[in-house]
Amino acid sequence: MNVVLAKTDTGRAVSSSFALARERLPGSGKVAEQRRQAFEAFERAGLPHRRIEDWKYTDLRVLMREVLPLAAAPDTAALSRAETALKLHAIERTRRLVLVDGVFAPKLSDLGKSEKGLSVRTLREVLEAGDGALQSELLASDNSNPMIALNTAMATDGVVIEIANGTVLEQPLHVVHVASATTPAATFTRSLLRIGRDVAATLVESFVAAEGAKAYQTYDSLIVSLDDNARLDHLRLVEDGLEAFNIASAAVTLGAHAQLNTFGMVSGASVSRYQPTIVFAGEGARVDTNGVNLIKGRQHADTTLFMDHAVPNCASREVFRAVIDDRAHSVFQGRIIVRPDAQKTDAKMMTRALLLSDEAEADNKPELEIFADDVTCGHGATTGALDESLLFYLRARGLPEKEAQALLIQAFVGEAIESITSDSLREHVIAAARRWLEARG
Amino acid sequence: MALLEVKDLQVRVEDREILHGLSLTVNDGEVHAIMGPNGSGKSTLSHVIAGKPGYEVTGGQILFRGEDLLEMEPDERAAKGVFLAFQYPVEIPGVTTMNFLRTALNAQRKARGESELLVPDFLKKVRSVAAGLNIPQDMLKRGVNVGFSGGEKKRNEILQMALFEPSLCILDEMDSGLDIDALRIAADGVNALRSPERAMVVITHYQRLLNYIVPDYVHVMAKGRVVKSGGKELALQLEESGYAQFEDAA
């Protein structure tokens, strides 16, 4: 079946795209071999479709149809459009690292002032001239997931960030992906964040579009490792253009007593899918993942999370809130596995979807697989409309209908947004959520 | 001109007619009590005046200072000066009382073409009103009514009444769920707001509340209409004889 499907027009187009792109892809020898294997894995599977369990709600053959050819490296005009877009999405007092059409843009990035303990290189640099172990780590690939395999095969650039033991970063790192190409094309980025022992760091990722960038495709993959006792605050904002595709994954590993506090918000992109995999590798670690989808029109936003409790005494919390208007479709799949040794695991997952129209759609699929016997695990999921009695109360106090709705929607997403510890980043997200509500009219 | 004129009001909920030709006139500054057994339509009347969805008005009219209240959205009615103190105030997690009060007050002012209150002025006003009602400051920082006791919820309603300065207050079963001490505090709060510019319609099942909020007029409702009206002594008479005579008469 798959063999036949791989020979569809889409399969052939991607195949020739890879052949054409190969010369532009950094790395040779083992790196090129890892790419080739990954590409073959993608080619065998083709775009994932609804008959594959994990992709039941997000059938890329229907939603996306094809993988576009690799975007050209940005020219001066593209960089200039990107610069304008950056002004709209800038976050003050952060160190900005910018990728335009999948290529690192040094002139738009804050590289001037170095910081002790922080190393920033590009993926291209590392794949062309880095050490072999790091190269292998960068292109290590779960080829059973066709979209990760595709990203491995095609990854053009990205940032490789290493933070030395004991460093407390002065400023958050802000990695901005700007789509700037005005002809439909695809970008493939892969980044790595290696966080040493006792480090405290903040990473913000933004996905945005410059003027004129429309039906582009962004494929991204992030690899994060937290050494013992490290802490990462992570913010991920998908604000792509409403005709764009954003297919991304993250692989996070936590050492002992490490802490990850992550918040994601999807308000952009026509179709988005984010697949974080979080692995507890040391005891006493804790993960808080929070997410908000604010979607409308015919947007489709999928978060498919895999939380792997491999060792004892770790805690994880997931709080997801989806606000879905018009004919939009929100998908949350959260799988928590508690392996036999992972006693005293404390894992809880709560997802709630708010439907603002009769045609809005939410799919929640929590899955718990528990193989240890001394654990506290739970999940809950609700889907519903705005509470009429609350709306009437607010209206009886003078709030017009839209304002009453907006206040209740803000309250609904508030619990997830409250998880952002930095005041300025939380305000940034609240402002973005308000803009979305105001645009609803 | 009367403040509120309810004329021959007929209201259905789904397929059932709840009010069959109810009439009531309230002038500025008057306090009217509406008493009646369960199911007589008291709460329906309060909901229809405030504009709660789900009620179908099949006949009659409600005029507020001569304007057709039924043509207005609930928020327009609030801005015009109609205030319903809820029998069961809802809890709104995630919206702090302070934020709610400010948003609501400014929405009403905006609808009336008035400027928004500046934050310091607003805070000063809320704090002084809250202190008068024995509402601790930390309650204002919590979600609206979240974790409030029955008495605190009712005091929060009175706080809003004091803040929004409506010309017509409808108190829907304010005594329900309150013990005698909580009832006294709530009633004191209401009495402090009595003025020639503010009329009140006090809806209650029991005469007890009227010992604390003494009305100018008492109306007895049964089976969807007002069956008897009189002075405050009518409430005492009801306490003696019960509602049965009126239900039979209706």
Side-chain angles (χ1 to χ4, degrees), chain A residues 396-418:
Chain A
R397 294 299 178 254
L399 272 74
E401 188 171 16
K402 285 283 179 186
E403 276 185 52
Q405 288 182 354
L407 195 62
L408 292 179
I409 295 167
Q410 276 184 52
F412 177 80
V413 297
E415 189 189 344
I417 293 177
E418 285 302 310

Side-chain angles (χ1 to χ4, degrees), chain A residues 174-195:
Chain A
H174 187 193
V175 176
V176 192
H177 297 255
V178 190
S180 190
T182 48
T183 50
T187 65
F188 301 85
T189 47
R190 174 160 298 192
S191 295
L192 179 137
L193 178 58
R194 182 183 279 170
I195 303 174

Side-chain angles (χ1 to χ4, degrees), chain A residues 115-117 163-171 197-201:
Chain A
E115 191 175 336
K116 194 169 171 290
I163 307 174
N165 292 345
T167 307
V168 175
L169 278 194
E170 288 166 22
Q171 291 184 316
R197 264 196 318 277
D198 304 315
V199 164

